[in-house]
Amino acid sequence: MQNQQLAEIFYEIAAYLEMEEVAFKPYAYQRAALTLETLEEDIEEIYKKGGVKALEELPGIGENIALKIKEYLKTGKIKYYERLKKKTPIDLAEITAVEGLGPKKAKVLYQKLGIKNLKDLEKAAKAHKIAPLFGFDETTEKNILEGIAFLKKSKGRFLLAEILLETEEILERLKKLKEIDQISMAGSLRRMKETIGDVDILVTTKNPGKVMDFFVSLPGVIKIWGKGNTKSSVRMEQGFDVDLRVVQKKSYGAALQYFTGSKEHNIHLRKIAMDKGLKLNEYGLFRGAKMVAGKTEEEIYKYLKMVCPPPELREDKGEIEACLKNNLPKLVEMKDIKGDLHCHCDWDAGENTILEMARTAMGLGYQYIGISSHTKFLRIERGLNESQLGQQRKEIDKLNRRIKNQESRIKILQGAETNILKDGSIDIKDKALKKLDYAIAGIHSSFKMDKQKMTERLIKAMKNPFIKIIAHPTGRILKRRDEYQIDFDQILRVAKQTKTILEINAFPVRLDLSDQNVRRTKEAGVKMIINTDSHQKDQMRFMNLGVAQARRGWAEKKDIINTQPLEKLLKYLK
Ligand code: DGT
Ligand code: CA
Ligand code: CA
Protein backbone atom coordinates (compact mmCIF):
# COMPACT_ATOMS: atom_id res chain seq x y z
CA MET A 1 0.00 0.00 0.00
CA GLN A 2 1.35 3.38 -0.94
CA ASN A 3 -1.28 5.32 1.00
CA GLN A 4 1.07 6.33 3.79
CA GLN A 5 3.91 7.50 1.54
CA LEU A 6 1.51 9.61 -0.49
CA ALA A 7 0.02 11.06 2.69
CA GLU A 8 3.49 12.04 3.87
CA ILE A 9 4.27 13.76 0.57
CA PHE A 10 1.00 15.69 0.83
CA TYR A 11 1.78 16.76 4.38
CA GLU A 12 5.12 18.00 3.14
CA ILE A 13 3.58 19.87 0.22
CA ALA A 14 1.21 21.47 2.72
CA ALA A 15 4.17 22.51 4.86
CA TYR A 16 6.01 24.02 1.87
CA LEU A 17 2.89 25.93 0.91
CA GLU A 18 2.46 27.16 4.46
CA MET A 19 6.03 28.34 4.37
CA GLU A 20 5.27 30.25 1.19
CA GLU A 21 2.21 31.62 2.99
CA VAL A 22 -0.17 30.46 0.29
CA ALA A 23 -3.73 30.78 1.56
CA PHE A 24 -6.18 27.81 1.69
CA LYS A 25 -4.08 25.39 -0.39
CA PRO A 26 -2.12 23.87 2.54
CA TYR A 27 -5.39 22.85 4.16
CA ALA A 28 -6.50 21.06 0.98
CA TYR A 29 -3.33 18.94 0.98
CA GLN A 30 -3.65 18.21 4.71
CA ARG A 31 -7.19 17.01 4.23
CA ALA A 32 -6.15 14.76 1.35
CA ALA A 33 -3.32 13.38 3.50
CA LEU A 34 -5.73 12.60 6.33
CA THR A 35 -8.05 10.78 3.93
CA LEU A 36 -5.15 8.70 2.64
CA GLU A 37 -3.97 7.86 6.13
CA THR A 38 -7.31 6.55 7.24
CA LEU A 39 -8.35 4.85 4.03
CA GLU A 40 -8.79 1.12 4.41
CA GLU A 41 -8.48 0.26 0.70
CA ASP A 42 -5.28 0.51 -1.27
CA ILE A 43 -5.27 3.80 -3.18
CA GLU A 44 -3.72 2.05 -6.18
CA GLU A 45 -6.62 -0.43 -6.28
CA ILE A 46 -9.12 2.40 -6.22
CA TYR A 47 -7.34 4.08 -9.10
CA LYS A 48 -7.03 0.86 -11.09
CA LYS A 49 -10.73 0.16 -10.72
CA GLY A 50 -12.20 3.60 -11.29
CA GLY A 51 -9.48 5.93 -12.56
CA VAL A 52 -9.20 9.59 -11.61
CA LYS A 53 -12.99 9.81 -11.22
CA ALA A 54 -12.93 7.26 -8.39
CA LEU A 55 -10.13 9.17 -6.67
CA GLU A 56 -12.18 12.36 -6.83
CA GLU A 57 -15.01 10.66 -4.99
CA LEU A 58 -12.85 10.29 -1.88
CA PRO A 59 -13.44 12.89 0.81
CA GLY A 60 -11.20 15.93 0.48
CA ILE A 61 -9.77 14.95 -2.91
CA GLY A 62 -10.50 17.20 -5.88
CA GLU A 63 -9.36 16.99 -9.49
CA ASN A 64 -6.01 18.68 -8.92
CA ILE A 65 -4.96 16.33 -6.13
CA ALA A 66 -6.43 13.29 -7.88
CA LEU A 67 -4.16 14.00 -10.86
CA LYS A 68 -1.16 14.22 -8.54
CA ILE A 69 -2.06 10.84 -7.05
CA LYS A 70 -2.25 9.42 -10.56
CA GLU A 71 1.15 10.91 -11.41
CA TYR A 72 2.67 9.33 -8.29
CA LEU A 73 1.17 5.91 -8.98
CA LYS A 74 2.42 6.00 -12.58
CA THR A 75 5.85 7.59 -12.19
CA GLY A 76 6.70 7.27 -8.48
CA LYS A 77 7.13 11.06 -8.34
CA ILE A 78 5.16 14.28 -8.14
CA LYS A 79 6.83 17.03 -10.19
CA TYR A 80 5.12 19.80 -8.26
CA TYR A 81 6.56 18.43 -5.00
CA GLU A 82 10.04 18.07 -6.52
CA ARG A 83 9.92 21.72 -7.62
CA LEU A 84 8.92 22.90 -4.15
CA LYS A 85 11.75 20.90 -2.59
CA LYS A 86 14.29 22.35 -5.01
CA LYS A 87 13.19 25.91 -4.34
CA THR A 88 13.85 25.64 -0.59
CA PRO A 89 16.39 22.88 -0.07
CA ILE A 90 15.76 22.15 3.59
CA ASP A 91 14.65 18.99 5.35
CA LEU A 92 11.30 20.43 6.27
CA ALA A 93 9.87 17.21 7.71
CA GLU A 94 12.83 16.88 10.06
CA ILE A 95 12.77 20.50 11.24
CA THR A 96 9.02 20.78 11.68
CA ALA A 97 9.06 17.54 13.66
CA VAL A 98 10.49 19.67 16.47
CA GLU A 99 7.62 20.74 18.67
CA GLY A 100 6.85 24.43 18.27
CA LEU A 101 8.57 24.83 14.90
CA GLY A 102 6.20 25.30 12.00
CA PRO A 103 7.02 25.92 8.35
CA LYS A 104 7.06 29.70 8.75
CA LYS A 105 9.67 29.62 11.50
CA ALA A 106 11.64 27.08 9.48
CA LYS A 107 11.76 29.56 6.62
CA VAL A 108 13.12 32.34 8.84
CA LEU A 109 15.73 29.95 10.24
CA TYR A 110 16.81 29.00 6.73
CA GLN A 111 16.91 32.54 5.42
CA LYS A 112 18.69 34.09 8.39
CA LEU A 113 20.96 31.26 9.49
CA GLY A 114 20.99 28.80 6.60
CA ILE A 115 19.56 26.03 8.81
CA LYS A 116 18.73 23.04 6.62
CA ASN A 117 18.36 20.13 9.02
CA LEU A 118 18.25 19.02 12.64
CA LYS A 119 22.02 19.06 12.98
CA ASP A 120 22.25 22.70 11.85
CA LEU A 121 19.37 23.55 14.15
CA GLU A 122 20.94 21.98 17.21
CA LYS A 123 24.25 23.72 16.55
CA ALA A 124 22.59 27.11 16.15
CA ALA A 125 20.47 26.68 19.29
CA LYS A 126 23.47 25.66 21.37
CA ALA A 127 25.44 28.64 20.10
CA HIS A 128 22.50 30.90 21.07
CA LYS A 129 22.16 32.16 17.54
CA ILE A 130 18.42 31.65 17.48
CA ALA A 131 17.35 33.75 20.47
CA PRO A 132 18.36 37.11 18.97
CA LEU A 133 16.46 36.41 15.75
CA PHE A 134 13.25 38.21 15.01
CA GLY A 135 10.35 36.26 16.45
CA PHE A 136 12.41 33.98 18.65
CA ASP A 137 13.22 34.44 22.30
CA GLU A 138 15.28 32.45 24.78
CA THR A 139 12.48 30.10 25.75
CA THR A 140 12.14 29.16 22.08
CA GLU A 141 15.80 28.19 22.07
CA LYS A 142 15.39 26.08 25.19
CA ASN A 143 12.24 24.50 23.78
CA ILE A 144 14.01 23.69 20.52
CA LEU A 145 16.79 21.87 22.37
CA GLU A 146 14.25 19.97 24.47
CA GLY A 147 12.34 19.11 21.31
CA ILE A 148 15.48 17.78 19.63
CA ALA A 149 16.37 15.68 22.69
CA PHE A 150 12.87 14.20 22.69
CA LEU A 151 13.07 13.35 18.98
CA LYS A 152 16.40 11.64 19.45
CA LYS A 153 14.90 9.49 22.19
CA SER A 154 12.08 8.23 19.98
CA LYS A 155 14.11 7.98 16.79
CA GLY A 156 13.91 4.66 15.00
CA ARG A 157 10.71 3.66 16.75
CA PHE A 158 7.36 3.41 15.00
CA LEU A 159 3.81 3.96 16.12
CA LEU A 160 1.94 0.81 17.08
CA ALA A 161 -0.98 1.62 14.77
CA GLU A 162 1.06 1.93 11.59
CA ILE A 163 3.09 -1.19 12.32
CA LEU A 164 0.12 -3.26 13.42
CA LEU A 165 -1.87 -2.71 10.23
CA GLU A 166 1.13 -3.38 7.98
CA THR A 167 2.12 -6.51 9.92
CA GLU A 168 -1.39 -7.91 9.82
CA GLU A 169 -1.17 -7.61 6.04
CA ILE A 170 2.18 -9.42 6.00
CA LEU A 171 0.74 -12.18 8.22
CA GLU A 172 -2.25 -12.56 5.90
CA ARG A 173 0.08 -13.10 2.94
CA LEU A 174 2.26 -15.56 4.82
CA LYS A 175 -0.74 -17.52 6.07
CA LYS A 176 -1.76 -18.23 2.48
CA LEU A 177 1.46 -20.16 2.02
CA LYS A 178 0.60 -23.82 2.54
CA GLU A 179 4.14 -24.63 3.71
CA ILE A 180 3.55 -22.64 6.91
CA ASP A 181 2.07 -24.64 9.81
CA GLN A 182 2.05 -22.22 12.75
CA ILE A 183 2.59 -18.47 12.71
CA SER A 184 2.52 -15.66 15.26
CA MET A 185 3.75 -12.16 15.87
CA ALA A 186 6.16 -11.87 18.79
CA GLY A 187 8.19 -9.05 20.34
CA SER A 188 6.90 -5.67 21.37
CA LEU A 189 4.16 -5.87 18.76
CA ARG A 190 2.57 -8.88 20.45
CA ARG A 191 2.86 -7.03 23.75
CA MET A 192 1.13 -4.06 22.03
CA LYS A 193 3.71 -1.56 23.16
CA GLU A 194 2.91 1.99 22.09
CA THR A 195 5.99 2.22 19.90
CA ILE A 196 7.76 -0.59 18.11
CA GLY A 197 11.45 -0.97 17.24
CA ASP A 198 11.18 -3.88 14.83
CA VAL A 199 8.67 -6.59 13.99
CA ASP A 200 9.28 -10.18 15.05
CA ILE A 201 7.42 -13.08 13.43
CA LEU A 202 7.75 -16.80 14.21
CA VAL A 203 6.72 -19.74 12.04
CA THR A 204 6.98 -23.50 11.95
CA THR A 205 7.41 -25.18 8.59
CA LYS A 206 8.87 -28.28 6.98
CA ASN A 207 10.16 -26.22 4.09
CA PRO A 208 12.12 -23.21 5.40
CA GLY A 209 13.75 -22.52 2.03
CA LYS A 210 10.44 -21.93 0.34
CA VAL A 211 9.10 -19.81 3.20
CA MET A 212 12.19 -17.59 3.27
CA ASP A 213 12.15 -17.14 -0.53
CA PHE A 214 8.56 -16.01 -0.26
CA PHE A 215 9.25 -13.76 2.73
CA VAL A 216 12.14 -11.79 1.23
CA SER A 217 10.16 -11.19 -1.96
CA LEU A 218 7.03 -9.88 -0.24
CA PRO A 219 5.68 -6.67 -1.79
CA GLY A 220 7.10 -3.67 0.05
CA VAL A 221 10.47 -5.25 0.87
CA ILE A 222 13.21 -2.77 -0.12
CA LYS A 223 16.25 -4.38 1.45
CA ILE A 224 17.30 -7.83 2.60
CA TRP A 225 19.58 -7.63 5.64
CA GLY A 226 20.03 -11.37 5.79
CA LYS A 227 18.49 -14.61 4.54
CA GLY A 228 19.02 -18.03 6.07
CA ASN A 229 17.08 -21.17 6.92
CA THR A 230 16.30 -20.16 10.50
CA LYS A 231 16.28 -16.38 10.32
CA SER A 232 15.74 -13.71 7.68
CA SER A 233 15.57 -9.99 8.12
CA VAL A 234 14.22 -7.34 5.76
CA ARG A 235 13.43 -3.62 5.61
CA MET A 236 9.98 -2.54 4.43
CA GLU A 237 9.38 0.58 2.34
CA GLN A 238 7.74 2.27 5.33
CA GLY A 239 11.14 2.17 7.00
CA PHE A 240 10.76 -0.57 9.61
CA ASP A 241 12.46 -3.98 9.75
CA VAL A 242 10.88 -7.41 10.03
CA ASP A 243 12.62 -10.49 11.44
CA LEU A 244 11.21 -13.87 10.49
CA ARG A 245 12.33 -16.89 12.45
CA VAL A 246 11.68 -20.54 11.64
CA VAL A 247 11.55 -22.68 14.74
CA GLN A 248 10.96 -26.37 15.42
CA LYS A 249 7.48 -27.51 16.24
CA LYS A 250 8.49 -28.97 19.60
CA SER A 251 10.07 -25.61 20.51
CA TYR A 252 7.36 -23.31 19.18
CA GLY A 253 6.01 -22.34 22.62
CA ALA A 254 9.47 -21.76 24.03
CA ALA A 255 10.45 -19.61 21.08
CA LEU A 256 7.20 -17.67 21.23
CA GLN A 257 7.72 -17.10 24.94
CA TYR A 258 11.32 -16.01 24.42
CA PHE A 259 10.78 -13.73 21.42
CA THR A 260 7.67 -12.15 22.86
CA GLY A 261 9.76 -10.80 25.70
CA SER A 262 10.11 -8.45 27.22
CA LYS A 263 13.74 -9.04 27.95
CA GLU A 264 13.12 -8.08 31.59
CA HIS A 265 10.25 -10.57 31.88
CA ASN A 266 12.43 -13.30 30.35
CA ILE A 267 15.34 -12.68 32.67
CA HIS A 268 13.07 -12.93 35.71
CA LEU A 269 11.35 -16.04 34.38
CA ARG A 270 14.67 -17.73 33.68
CA LYS A 271 15.63 -17.10 37.28
CA ILE A 272 12.42 -18.76 38.51
CA ALA A 273 13.33 -21.77 36.36
CA MET A 274 16.88 -21.85 37.66
CA ASP A 275 15.68 -21.78 41.27
CA LYS A 276 13.77 -24.96 40.49
CA GLY A 277 16.88 -26.56 38.99
CA LEU A 278 15.62 -26.06 35.43
CA LYS A 279 17.00 -24.32 32.38
CA LEU A 280 14.86 -22.11 30.14
CA ASN A 281 15.82 -20.87 26.69
CA GLU A 282 14.23 -20.33 23.27
CA TYR A 283 14.36 -24.10 22.59
CA GLY A 284 12.50 -25.26 25.65
CA LEU A 285 12.43 -25.84 29.38
CA PHE A 286 14.98 -28.46 30.39
CA ARG A 287 15.81 -30.61 33.38
CA GLY A 288 19.38 -31.63 32.63
CA ALA A 289 19.32 -32.78 29.02
CA LYS A 290 15.63 -33.67 29.12
CA MET A 291 13.12 -31.25 27.66
CA VAL A 292 10.14 -31.00 30.01
CA ALA A 293 8.10 -28.36 28.18
CA GLY A 294 8.29 -26.22 25.03
CA LYS A 295 5.52 -26.94 22.60
CA THR A 296 3.22 -24.25 23.98
CA GLU A 297 3.73 -21.22 26.19
CA GLU A 298 1.05 -22.46 28.58
CA GLU A 299 2.85 -25.72 29.32
CA ILE A 300 6.05 -23.85 30.12
CA TYR A 301 4.39 -21.52 32.62
CA LYS A 302 2.37 -24.42 34.00
CA TYR A 303 5.50 -26.45 34.62
CA LEU A 304 6.85 -23.47 36.56
CA LYS A 305 3.60 -23.52 38.60
CA MET A 306 2.32 -20.25 37.18
CA VAL A 307 -0.53 -19.11 35.01
CA CYS A 308 0.40 -17.81 31.57
CA PRO A 309 0.30 -13.99 31.54
CA PRO A 310 -1.30 -12.10 28.65
CA PRO A 311 1.52 -10.68 26.46
CA GLU A 312 0.56 -7.08 27.35
CA LEU A 313 1.63 -7.70 30.97
CA ARG A 314 5.06 -9.18 30.29
CA GLU A 315 7.22 -6.27 31.42
CA ASP A 316 8.39 -7.61 34.80
CA LYS A 317 6.22 -5.11 36.61
CA GLY A 318 4.80 -7.60 39.11
CA GLU A 319 3.08 -9.96 36.69
CA ILE A 320 5.42 -12.85 37.49
CA GLU A 321 4.60 -12.64 41.20
CA ALA A 322 0.89 -12.43 40.35
CA CYS A 323 1.17 -15.46 38.05
CA LEU A 324 2.86 -17.46 40.80
CA LYS A 325 0.05 -16.64 43.22
CA ASN A 326 -2.58 -17.08 40.52
CA ASN A 327 -4.07 -13.67 41.15
CA LEU A 328 -3.68 -11.92 37.82
CA PRO A 329 -6.27 -9.21 37.14
CA LYS A 330 -8.97 -10.13 34.65
CA LEU A 331 -8.04 -7.57 32.01
CA VAL A 332 -10.60 -5.55 30.09
CA GLU A 333 -11.27 -6.86 26.57
CA MET A 334 -12.41 -5.37 23.30
CA LYS A 335 -15.71 -7.20 23.58
CA ASP A 336 -16.46 -5.41 26.87
CA ILE A 337 -16.59 -2.00 25.16
CA LYS A 338 -20.12 -0.69 24.71
CA GLY A 339 -19.53 2.71 23.19
CA ASP A 340 -17.21 5.56 22.34
CA LEU A 341 -17.77 8.98 23.91
CA HIS A 342 -15.16 11.07 22.14
CA CYS A 343 -16.11 11.41 18.48
CA HIS A 344 -15.99 14.46 16.22
CA CYS A 345 -18.30 15.05 13.28
CA ASP A 346 -18.79 17.55 10.48
CA TRP A 347 -20.22 20.09 12.91
CA ASP A 348 -16.63 20.72 13.97
CA ALA A 349 -13.43 19.50 12.30
CA GLY A 350 -14.63 15.92 11.75
CA GLU A 351 -15.13 14.39 8.34
CA ASN A 352 -18.47 12.58 8.71
CA THR A 353 -22.04 13.43 9.65
CA ILE A 354 -23.44 12.50 13.06
CA LEU A 355 -25.53 9.80 11.41
CA GLU A 356 -22.52 8.31 9.62
CA MET A 357 -20.64 8.19 12.92
CA ALA A 358 -23.64 6.57 14.63
CA ARG A 359 -23.95 3.95 11.89
CA THR A 360 -20.27 3.08 12.28
CA ALA A 361 -20.82 2.69 16.01
CA MET A 362 -23.75 0.36 15.29
CA GLY A 363 -21.50 -1.65 12.99
CA LEU A 364 -19.06 -2.04 15.85
CA GLY A 365 -21.88 -3.41 18.00
CA TYR A 366 -21.96 -0.46 20.39
CA GLN A 367 -24.95 0.61 22.47
CA TYR A 368 -24.10 4.28 22.43
CA ILE A 369 -21.95 6.90 20.78
CA GLY A 370 -21.10 10.31 22.16
CA ILE A 371 -20.59 13.21 19.78
CA SER A 372 -18.15 15.58 21.41
CA SER A 373 -17.44 18.53 19.16
CA HIS A 374 -14.68 20.96 19.91
CA THR A 375 -15.83 24.24 21.43
CA LYS A 376 -15.26 27.84 20.55
CA PHE A 377 -11.76 28.54 21.83
CA LEU A 378 -10.37 26.04 19.35
CA ARG A 379 -10.94 27.98 16.16
CA ILE A 380 -8.73 25.80 13.94
CA GLU A 381 -10.89 22.81 14.84
CA ARG A 382 -14.01 24.85 14.06
CA GLY A 383 -15.19 24.76 17.67
CA LEU A 384 -18.89 25.34 18.41
CA ASN A 385 -20.25 28.13 20.59
CA GLU A 386 -23.17 27.87 23.04
CA SER A 387 -25.88 28.51 20.47
CA GLN A 388 -24.40 26.07 17.96
CA LEU A 389 -24.30 23.43 20.69
CA GLY A 390 -28.01 24.13 21.21
CA GLN A 391 -28.71 23.58 17.53
CA GLN A 392 -26.67 20.39 17.57
CA ARG A 393 -28.74 19.19 20.54
CA LYS A 394 -31.89 19.49 18.43
CA GLU A 395 -30.30 17.62 15.56
CA ILE A 396 -29.19 14.79 17.86
CA ASP A 397 -32.65 14.54 19.46
CA LYS A 398 -34.16 14.30 15.99
CA LEU A 399 -31.72 11.59 14.94
CA ASN A 400 -32.41 9.60 18.11
CA ARG A 401 -36.14 9.65 17.32
CA ARG A 402 -35.45 8.58 13.77
CA ILE A 403 -33.14 5.76 14.83
CA LYS A 404 -35.71 4.58 17.36
CA ASN A 405 -38.34 4.36 14.64
CA GLN A 406 -35.97 2.17 12.68
CA GLU A 407 -35.79 -0.21 15.64
CA SER A 408 -32.10 0.17 16.00
CA ARG A 409 -30.60 0.24 19.42
CA ILE A 410 -27.88 2.81 19.35
CA LYS A 411 -28.28 5.94 21.42
CA ILE A 412 -26.54 9.12 20.36
CA LEU A 413 -25.37 11.26 23.27
CA GLN A 414 -24.32 14.85 23.07
CA GLY A 415 -21.09 15.75 24.74
CA ALA A 416 -18.55 18.41 23.92
CA GLU A 417 -14.79 18.56 24.07
CA THR A 418 -14.35 21.87 25.84
CA ASN A 419 -11.10 23.72 26.39
CA ILE A 420 -9.41 24.26 29.71
CA LEU A 421 -8.12 27.80 29.42
CA LYS A 422 -4.89 28.99 30.97
CA ASP A 423 -6.56 29.88 34.27
CA GLY A 424 -8.45 26.58 34.49
CA SER A 425 -11.80 27.97 33.42
CA ILE A 426 -13.85 26.34 30.67
CA ASP A 427 -14.54 28.14 27.38
CA ILE A 428 -18.27 27.31 27.49
CA LYS A 429 -20.77 28.70 29.99
CA ASP A 430 -22.15 26.36 32.68
CA LYS A 431 -25.67 27.01 31.45
CA ALA A 432 -24.80 25.42 28.10
CA LEU A 433 -22.73 22.63 29.66
CA LYS A 434 -25.73 21.68 31.75
CA LYS A 435 -27.79 20.89 28.64
CA LEU A 436 -25.29 18.35 27.37
CA ASP A 437 -25.40 14.67 28.30
CA TYR A 438 -21.83 15.07 29.53
CA ALA A 439 -18.89 17.41 29.04
CA ILE A 440 -15.27 16.53 28.37
CA ALA A 441 -12.50 19.03 29.00
CA GLY A 442 -8.99 19.02 27.66
CA ILE A 443 -5.91 21.18 27.42
CA HIS A 444 -5.27 22.33 23.86
CA SER A 445 -3.06 25.37 24.42
CA SER A 446 -0.21 26.69 26.60
CA PHE A 447 1.40 23.31 27.24
CA LYS A 448 4.57 24.71 28.73
CA MET A 449 3.46 25.84 32.14
CA ASP A 450 5.07 25.54 35.50
CA LYS A 451 4.18 22.21 37.15
CA GLN A 452 2.16 23.57 40.04
CA LYS A 453 0.26 26.04 37.84
CA MET A 454 -0.55 23.32 35.33
CA THR A 455 -1.76 21.04 38.12
CA GLU A 456 -3.97 23.81 39.50
CA ARG A 457 -5.29 24.50 36.01
CA LEU A 458 -6.44 20.88 35.64
CA ILE A 459 -7.78 20.71 39.18
CA LYS A 460 -9.93 23.76 38.64
CA ALA A 461 -11.44 22.13 35.56
CA MET A 462 -12.11 18.89 37.45
CA LYS A 463 -13.87 20.85 40.17
CA ASN A 464 -16.34 22.25 37.66
CA PRO A 465 -19.40 20.06 38.42
CA PHE A 466 -20.31 19.80 34.73
CA ILE A 467 -16.96 18.43 33.60
CA LYS A 468 -17.11 14.64 33.80
CA ILE A 469 -14.16 13.53 31.71
CA ILE A 470 -10.63 14.83 31.22
CA ALA A 471 -9.47 14.15 27.66
CA HIS A 472 -5.90 12.99 26.92
CA PRO A 473 -4.88 13.93 30.48
CA THR A 474 -1.13 14.39 29.96
CA GLY A 475 -1.13 15.97 26.51
CA ARG A 476 1.68 13.93 25.03
CA ILE A 477 2.04 13.30 21.30
CA LEU A 478 4.11 10.20 20.62
CA LYS A 479 7.43 10.88 18.93
CA ARG A 480 6.67 14.58 19.01
CA ARG A 481 5.81 16.06 22.36
CA ASP A 482 6.41 14.89 25.90
CA GLU A 483 3.77 15.01 28.63
CA TYR A 484 3.20 18.42 30.13
CA GLN A 485 4.34 18.87 33.71
CA ILE A 486 1.72 17.88 36.28
CA ASP A 487 1.60 16.41 39.76
CA PHE A 488 -0.26 13.29 38.74
CA ASP A 489 -0.83 12.05 42.31
CA GLN A 490 -2.55 15.30 43.16
CA ILE A 491 -4.64 15.04 39.99
CA LEU A 492 -5.68 11.53 41.03
CA ARG A 493 -6.71 12.67 44.51
CA VAL A 494 -8.96 15.38 43.10
CA ALA A 495 -10.33 13.08 40.39
CA LYS A 496 -11.35 10.66 43.12
CA GLN A 497 -13.04 13.38 45.20
CA THR A 498 -14.87 14.90 42.24
CA LYS A 499 -15.59 11.57 40.53
CA THR A 500 -13.91 12.82 37.40
CA ILE A 501 -13.16 10.17 34.78
CA LEU A 502 -9.74 10.14 33.12
CA GLU A 503 -9.61 9.27 29.46
CA ILE A 504 -7.44 6.69 27.78
CA ASN A 505 -7.30 8.36 24.41
CA ALA A 506 -6.82 5.67 21.74
CA PHE A 507 -5.84 7.99 18.91
CA PRO A 508 -2.63 6.44 17.49
CA VAL A 509 -0.29 9.37 18.21
CA ARG A 510 -1.71 9.99 21.67
CA LEU A 511 -2.31 6.77 23.64
CA ASP A 512 -2.71 9.05 26.63
CA LEU A 513 -2.88 7.94 29.54
CA SER A 514 0.33 5.93 29.20
CA ASP A 515 0.44 2.37 30.53
CA GLN A 516 2.11 3.49 33.78
CA ASN A 517 -0.45 6.21 34.30
CA VAL A 518 -3.32 3.77 33.69
CA ARG A 519 -1.89 1.61 36.42
CA ARG A 520 -1.59 4.52 38.84
CA THR A 521 -5.14 5.64 38.04
CA LYS A 522 -6.51 2.17 38.67
CA GLU A 523 -4.61 1.88 41.93
CA ALA A 524 -6.01 5.24 43.06
CA GLY A 525 -9.52 3.93 42.46
CA VAL A 526 -10.25 6.52 39.77
CA LYS A 527 -12.40 5.44 36.82
CA MET A 528 -11.24 5.63 33.22
CA ILE A 529 -12.91 5.67 29.82
CA ILE A 530 -11.41 4.47 26.54
CA ASN A 531 -12.24 6.82 23.66
CA THR A 532 -10.96 7.06 20.09
CA ASP A 533 -11.11 10.84 19.50
CA SER A 534 -12.13 9.96 15.93
CA HIS A 535 -12.22 12.76 13.38
CA GLN A 536 -13.32 10.30 10.71
CA LYS A 537 -15.51 7.23 10.95
CA ASP A 538 -12.77 4.73 10.05
CA GLN A 539 -10.72 5.93 13.01
CA MET A 540 -13.28 4.42 15.38
CA ARG A 541 -11.62 1.06 14.80
CA PHE A 542 -8.58 2.27 16.78
CA MET A 543 -10.49 1.39 19.96
CA ASN A 544 -8.35 -1.77 20.11
CA LEU A 545 -5.24 0.36 20.67
CA GLY A 546 -6.86 2.00 23.68
CA VAL A 547 -7.96 -1.36 25.03
CA ALA A 548 -4.40 -2.67 24.66
CA GLN A 549 -3.11 0.39 26.51
CA ALA A 550 -5.63 -0.22 29.31
CA ARG A 551 -4.53 -3.86 29.51
CA ARG A 552 -0.88 -2.86 29.66
CA GLY A 553 -1.88 -0.73 32.64
CA TRP A 554 -3.58 -3.75 34.31
CA ALA A 555 -7.08 -2.26 33.93
CA GLU A 556 -10.10 -4.47 34.42
CA LYS A 557 -13.63 -4.12 33.09
CA LYS A 558 -14.79 -2.43 36.28
CA ASP A 559 -12.16 0.30 35.94
CA ILE A 560 -13.46 1.35 32.53
CA ILE A 561 -16.72 3.28 32.41
CA ASN A 562 -17.63 2.56 28.79
CA THR A 563 -17.92 -1.13 29.50
CA GLN A 564 -21.16 -0.28 31.29
CA PRO A 565 -24.58 -0.49 29.64
CA LEU A 566 -26.25 2.81 28.72
CA GLU A 567 -28.38 3.18 31.87
CA LYS A 568 -25.46 2.72 34.21
CA LEU A 569 -23.25 4.97 32.14
CA LEU A 570 -25.81 7.77 32.22
CA LYS A 571 -26.15 7.41 35.95
CA TYR A 572 -22.41 7.76 36.32
CA LEU A 573 -22.33 10.82 34.11
CA LYS A 574 -25.16 12.52 36.03
P1 DGT B 1 11.44 -3.49 20.12
O1 DGT B 1 11.71 -4.29 18.89
O2 DGT B 1 12.57 -2.62 20.51
O3 DGT B 1 10.17 -2.73 20.05
O4 DGT B 1 11.28 -4.50 21.36
P2 DGT B 1 11.22 -6.09 21.39
O5 DGT B 1 10.76 -6.47 22.75
O6 DGT B 1 10.44 -6.62 20.24
O7 DGT B 1 12.75 -6.48 21.28
P3 DGT B 1 13.61 -7.26 20.17
O8 DGT B 1 13.00 -7.19 18.83
O9 DGT B 1 15.00 -6.76 20.31
O10 DGT B 1 13.63 -8.76 20.67
C1 DGT B 1 12.46 -9.55 20.69
C2 DGT B 1 12.40 -10.31 21.98
O11 DGT B 1 13.49 -11.23 22.06
C3 DGT B 1 12.50 -9.49 23.23
O12 DGT B 1 11.26 -8.92 23.60
C4 DGT B 1 12.96 -10.48 24.22
C5 DGT B 1 13.87 -11.39 23.42
N1 DGT B 1 15.25 -10.97 23.61
C6 DGT B 1 16.00 -10.24 22.78
N2 DGT B 1 17.23 -10.07 23.30
C7 DGT B 1 17.25 -10.69 24.50
C8 DGT B 1 18.24 -10.88 25.53
O13 DGT B 1 19.37 -10.41 25.44
N3 DGT B 1 17.85 -11.58 26.62
C9 DGT B 1 16.62 -12.10 26.74
N4 DGT B 1 16.31 -12.78 27.85
N5 DGT B 1 15.68 -11.94 25.82
C10 DGT B 1 15.99 -11.25 24.69
CA1 CA C 1 10.96 -6.27 18.06
CA1 CA D 1 13.79 -8.15 16.53
Side-chain angles (χ1 to χ4, degrees), residues 156-157 186-191 193 195-200 243 245 255 257-268 270 314-315:
R157 297 196 68 80
S188 51
L189 193 57
R190 184 162 178 241
R191 305 197 311 278
K193 245 187 108 161
T195 63
I196 306 294
D198 71 353
V199 173
D200 304 277
D243 292 346
R245 289 185 177 82
Q257 195 289 317
Y258 180 88
F259 289 110
T260 295
S262 64
K263 194 171 155 184
E264 292 73 17
H265 176 89
N266 287 354
I267 290 170
H268 193 166
R270 209 173 326 147
R314 301 185 196 173
E315 301 291 344

Side-chain angles (χ1 to χ4, degrees), residues 228-278:
N229 268 341
T230 55
K231 183 183 171 188
S232 294
S233 201
V234 298
R235 163 135 324 160
M236 305 303 292
E237 61 192 352
Q238 294 87 351
F240 64 90
D241 293 341
V242 184
D243 292 346
L244 180 74
R245 289 185 177 82
V246 170
V247 303
Q248 289 196 323
K249 213 169 165 184
K250 63 172 189 200
S251 296
Y252 184 66
L256 188 57
Q257 195 289 317
Y258 180 88
F259 289 110
T260 295
S262 64
K263 194 171 155 184
E264 292 73 17
H265 176 89
N266 287 354
I267 290 170
H268 193 166
L269 194 68
R270 209 173 326 147
K271 194 169 168 300
I272 303 267
M274 261 153 47
D275 290 347
K276 293 186 191 296
L278 301 163

